[in-house]
Each structure stands twice: as C-alpha cells, then as structure tokens.
Amino acid sequence: MSEGALAGLRVVVSAGPTYEDIDPVRFIGNRSSGKMGFAIAAAAAKRGADTVLVAGPVTLASPAGVDRRDVRSAAQMHAAVLAALPADVYIGAAAVADFTPATVAGGKIKKRPGGGGLVLDLVPTADILAEVASHPLRPRLVVGFAAETGDLEANALDKLRRKRLDMIAANRVGVAGGGFESDDNTLHVYDAAGVRVLGPAPKTRLADDLLDLVAARLS
Ligand code: C5P
C-alpha cells in the first residue's frame, strides 16, 4: 500500500449494522460486526484521505485519523451519509436494515396471557447506496458490498447495475471461514473490467487490497 495515495481526497465509509427499534427495549438488527468497514476507514485514513466513518451500533474502537459519526437506525445512517457529501469516494460497507417498524411502540410490548402472536408492520428503508450513486453530488467512485447466500456473481452484478455502482465487493455469508462476524473473509470484487478475488485473508488485509483497486480507479 502506498501512504498518501489518497491525499486530498474525501472518502466516506459506512459500517456496521443498523438497529430498528420496535419498542423501548427491543429492536430488529443483523449480524454485522462492522470490522470490514472499520478496516476500510482505517486504511483510507492511513493513505491520507479525509475519512468520514458513519458507524452503526458496534463495539469497535475508532481508527486513527477518522472522523467517526455514530448512528443507530437506517434513517440516521441515511441522514449522516448524505450530510457527509460531497465526497470523492463512497464505500457502503454497512449492513443496513431493509425494513423498519412502521411505528415504534411508546412502552414495552407485553405478551397477553393466552394471547396469540405479534405481527409487526414493517416498511422499507431508503437504499442509501443507490441514493448516493444517483445523487447530484455523486462521488466519483461508489462502491457497494453484497453479502449473499445464493448465486454470488448474479446477485452482485444485478446490484452493480441496478444501484448504478462503480464496484461491488461480494462475499458469501453463512459459510465457514468468512462473512459477518469473522476476522477473515473472501471478497469477489466486480466492476466493468470483470472480477478479482481478494483473500481469503484478514479483513485488514482485504481493506488494503480493496483500496488499491479504488486508488487505481481514481488515478
Ligand atoms: O441490496 P443489498 O442490501 O444486498 O445491498 C447491499 C449494499 O447496499 C451494501 O453496500 C449496503 O451498505 C447497501 N445498502 C444501503 N441501504 C440499504 C440497503 C443496503 O446502502 N437500505
């Protein structure tokens, strides 16, 4: 990696899960540790980028030299990412909830003795990545992630086109040796030029390799 390769550029990274509150004590979340996004933000700052890290609820320490903005919900992440524009690069590594409760109950929802189940009314969240890629302040490079259990290539290419991305890093979840909560992963990075396989390797190493691809696209 070349220190200073991203000097003078502004890089915005989203990381971690989002929590969608159901009532004051419960939420809908997902199995994201935030490690990949934090490693990317650390690597971007090390290369001299002015780096904003929009972080969902995680227990990770802030990387050196990063402007961290903590959020909880998809709506808060959406607002924080848009507020961080304009930028040269956006890397959406967060596992944003696709649905959120239509209303948040003011008090703890009780189970009724002999009562039936609970039906939650969920509404879709905004697709932050797609919105950034179609924004009037669109960064020069918009990079997405795709965690897939099925056909990696077909799903990644579909997201690349549909969300109007420049690059997408896809990984398998639900398999041994990679994914959401692990320190290691394998990334299949798709762009107009084809695919490159990074890893299996620690997420810190993958972050460096991914930023090499980003820096090459910007030069
Ligand atoms: O469509 P899917 O959720 O699998 O796409 C994953 C990519 O889209 C990730 O880069 C994620 O950060 C981003 N995303 C987003 N906002 C959403 C859902 C996903 O930015 N509401």
Side-chain angles (χ1 to χ4, degrees):
M1 98 116 179
S2 56
E3 304 250 345
L6 297 178
L9 298 181
R10 183 173 168 89
V11 175
V12 178
V13 182
S14 71
T18 66
Y19 287 175
E20 309 304 319
D21 288 333
I22 297 169
D23 69 16
V25 296
R26 305 186 183 91
F27 60 84
I28 299 171
N30 59 62
R31 294 173 53 178
S32 169
S33 66
K35 286 175 185 165
M36 192 69 237
F38 272 59
I40 291 169
K46 231 193 273 174
R47 287 162 191 243
D50 164 21
T51 307
V52 176
L53 172 60
V54 179
V58 294
T59 52
L60 301 173
S62 298
V66 159
D67 174 4
R68 174 173 176 174
R69 303 181 185 177
D70 285 314
V71 298
R72 177 174 172 85
S73 65
Q76 289 171 357
M77 185 170 280
H78 178 246
V81 167
L82 293 187
L85 299 181
D88 299 284
V89 180
Y90 176 67
I91 302 177
V96 187
D98 291 322
F99 297 95
T100 192
T103 55
V104 182
K108 185 179 174 189
I109 298 170
K110 301 285 187 198
K111 61 182 173 198
R112 291 178 302 261
L118 172 68
V119 176
L120 287 175
D121 187 11
L122 301 178
V123 295
T125 57
D127 191 313
I128 303 165
L129 182 61
E131 217 173 286
V132 167
S134 301
H135 198 276
L137 295 174
R138 187 192 198 280
R140 278 161 65 198
L141 208 63
V142 178
V143 182
F145 270 76
E148 304 291 349
T149 53
D151 186 334
L152 204 65
E153 175 160 312
N155 286 313
L157 290 178
D158 174 60
K159 278 170 201 174
L160 185 74
R161 293 184 192 115
R162 192 163 37 82
K163 301 193 187 201
R164 306 171 73 183
L165 311 177
D166 301 294
M167 197 181 275
I168 190 158
N171 66 280
R172 263 182 221 299
V173 290
V175 293
F180 272 155
E181 289 156 335
S182 162
D183 285 329
D184 289 17
N185 207 353
T186 302
L187 293 181
H188 290 69
V189 183
Y190 298 88
D191 67 6
V195 62
R196 263 151 302 204
V197 181
L198 309 181
K203 287 178 178 174
T204 47
R205 170 72 199 278
L206 295 176
D208 262 333
D209 291 349
L210 185 67
L211 284 187
D212 281 342
L213 298 179
V214 165
R217 282 289 299 262
L218 290 170
S219 64

